Amino acid sequence: HARAGQLPAAKEQLKKAIEIDGANRSLRSALASILIDEGQVELAQQELQSVETPAMASYQMAYLYMSRQNLPAAKKHLTDALTIDPNLQPAREMMQSLGGGQAIQTAQNFYQQGNQLWQQTQQLTSTVQT
């Protein structure tokens, strides 16, 4: 159905298949792909997050956008993935292939800053409780 451009029918069949096998990553990815084509980006991300970690779901979103030649959206989702997990190798490789070395460094900086803030918050919480 999807290849024939019949997105509503494809989406309906995928939803039925997901009712049977909700943990199937391929089905969720196919549904996310259709949702992206329909402009329902948040729902697409939710479908992927139901079977993937947040970082991997963002990477998968980037992959889907890259397959559509939407490089700005792909880079945005790769940056999201690398902000969550700067060591996610597939995302690092894809970002490098898109010439996004600076984005990787920025994501790593955000990750380090977040960790520092978390540690400071933990220290403050410990101090307040004593």
Side-chain angles (χ1 to χ4, degrees):
H1 290 291
R3 288 187 192 127
Q6 301 169 350
L7 297 184
K11 189 162 87 172
E12 184 64 30
Q13 292 302 312
L14 284 166
K15 285 182 177 182
K16 288 179 182 178
I18 288 170
E19 286 178 19
I20 296 168
D21 185 6
N24 187 308
R25 288 180 166 96
S26 296
L27 294 173
R28 297 281 183 168
S29 182
L31 181 55
S33 180
I34 290 171
L35 291 168
I36 286 172
D37 289 341
E38 292 180 338
Q40 298 182 51
V41 177
E42 288 181 26
L43 288 176
Q45 184 96 24
Q46 289 172 6
E47 283 298 325
L48 293 171
Q49 285 180 345
S50 70
V51 292
E52 300 286 359
T53 66
M56 187 56 85
S58 290
Y59 165 74
Q60 293 292 336
M61 290 288 290
Y63 181 86
L64 291 171
Y65 275 114
M66 195 160 151
S67 71
R68 289 163 173 73
Q69 302 300 309
N70 186 339
L71 299 184
K75 283 184 179 181
K76 181 234 179 266
H77 286 283
L78 286 172
T79 300
D80 292 347
L82 291 168
T83 299
I84 297 166
D85 181 359
N87 298 314
L88 185 63
Q89 196 60 34
R92 292 175 64 86
E93 290 170 3
M94 186 183 288
M95 185 65 91
Q96 287 287 6
S97 75
L98 295 175
Q102 180 61 40
I104 292 172
Q105 185 60 49
T106 300
Q108 286 177 324
N109 290 342
F110 282 140
Y111 181 79
Q112 289 172 349
Q113 289 172 359
N115 270 344
Q116 289 171 350
L117 287 172
W118 183 81
Q119 289 173 356
Q120 290 171 355
T121 302
Q122 292 299 314
Q123 289 172 349
L124 286 172
T125 302
S126 177
T127 302
V128 169
Q129 290 176 349
T130 56

